[in-house]
Amino acid sequence: YMSDLVKDEKKVKCDKLLLIVEAYDKWIEDIKQRTESLDAKYQHIAEKNISGCEAASERMHEGIEILEADELSWNAFQLANRAMFMQRAHLKLQEKTADVSRYPYDEQLTDLLDRINYYNVEEILEDPYSWRPFQIAFLLMSIKSIVEDSSNDRELVDLIWFPTGGGKTEAYLGLSAYTIFIRKLMNKDDSGTAILMRYTLRLLTAQQYERA
């Protein structure tokens, strides 16, 4: 819903993003109230974890503020969402093609895409594999550090700790797409390495390469 393929106004899209962060803020407040009943020996670690949640929320709010104020950042965000939308479309392409090997991606692709209505926006928007809250949250948290060279967040290493199949790859790919787009929009002559991807298992490396 955040790509330029969906013609909602910018404010409408940003308000939807804000709803996610506000729901997270409400959850934090609920947790704060529950920690009041904890034994004293647990109070310190509870406060530490809550502080981390509040810092994450602040980063998300800052990300939305940048999207609202900076047109280049907003354009990169929409293009990154279009790229992720296209990834979903490619997966549907594979599902709908009985024998993908008959249609190499460098041959006859245009004809094949036309025949299966590649850019059926409504169909793919109904896809259950749209953004999950933690994925879009991860992207919002990272926007300031990508856009502003002086951001203190650039000293952080964010780790997504989530079970297999939970959607970590999409979160990383979404941020990768945003990073690539914003670099080129800010400076068309920008060149060099933007993303490093490292996987320890060979089959996993092959799979992730295909998805990227």
Side-chain angles (χ1 to χ4, degrees):
Y1 290 98
M2 293 294 144
S3 82
D4 56 328
L5 294 174
V6 178
K7 300 305 180 183
D8 289 344
E9 293 183 3
K10 178 178 178 179
K11 184 180 186 308
V12 172
K13 294 180 179 180
C14 288
D15 285 347
K16 289 180 179 179
L17 293 173
L18 194 57
L19 282 176
I20 297 175
V21 187
E22 288 175 344
Y24 184 52
D25 291 337
K26 183 178 182 303
W27 179 82
I28 294 173
E29 289 303 316
D30 291 342
I31 293 295
K32 279 184 176 180
Q33 295 179 15
R34 290 168 57 185
T35 57
E36 294 175 359
S37 60
L38 291 175
D39 292 340
K41 61 181 179 180
Y42 299 124
Q43 289 290 338
H44 174 68
I45 191 62
E47 291 172 0
K48 181 178 179 181
N49 286 331
I50 289 173
S51 176
C53 292
E54 291 175 333
S57 172
E58 182 179 355
R59 290 173 64 189
M60 283 185 262
H61 279 290
E62 290 175 340
I64 294 175
E65 290 171 2
I66 290 173
L67 294 179
E68 290 175 329
D70 181 43
E71 204 61 27
L72 284 184
S73 297
W74 176 246
N75 289 340
F77 182 74
Q78 289 204 104
L79 289 169
N81 275 273
R82 179 193 274 237
M84 297 306 295
F85 176 90
M86 291 173 66
Q87 187 209 34
R88 294 302 310 161
H90 274 286
L91 290 177
K92 283 189 173 292
L93 165 66
Q94 295 177 35
E95 293 168 4
K96 290 188 176 185
T97 306
D99 184 3
V100 178
S101 64
R102 291 177 54 206
Y103 299 98
Y105 279 5
D106 57 349
E107 298 176 11
Q108 305 179 41
L109 181 58
T110 301
D111 175 63
L112 178 61
L113 296 181
D114 288 343
R115 288 194 292 106
I116 67 167
N117 197 9
Y118 180 67
Y119 276 123
N120 185 334
V121 177
E122 284 71 24
E123 176 186 344
I124 300 180
L125 286 178
E126 294 175 358
D127 191 328
Y129 301 103
S130 56
W131 282 126
R132 298 174 185 177
F134 86 89
Q135 294 170 333
I136 194 69
F138 176 70
L139 180 50
L140 292 175
M141 283 174 58
S142 306
I143 285 176
K144 184 177 180 179
S145 60
I146 298 298
V147 174
E148 299 181 7
D149 291 343
S150 60
S151 171
N152 292 331
D153 292 346
R154 293 175 72 90
E155 301 298 320
L156 301 176
V157 175
D158 288 315
L159 173 66
I160 301 179
W161 185 267
F162 219 78
T164 299
K168 296 184 296 296
T169 296
E170 284 70 26
Y172 290 134
L173 289 181
L175 179 58
S176 297
Y178 178 80
T179 301
I180 293 169
F181 279 122
I182 192 63
R183 281 181 58 165
K184 281 296 182 181
L185 288 174
M186 294 176 75
N187 177 12
K188 65 182 179 63
D189 296 322
D190 188 289
S191 61
T193 301
I195 312 295
L196 291 175
M197 300 174 68
R198 180 180 183 274
Y199 298 93
T200 54
L201 301 175
R202 290 185 180 182
L203 288 178
L204 182 60
T205 300
Q207 182 208 43
Q208 297 293 340
Y209 172 77
E210 291 176 355
R211 295 170 74 179

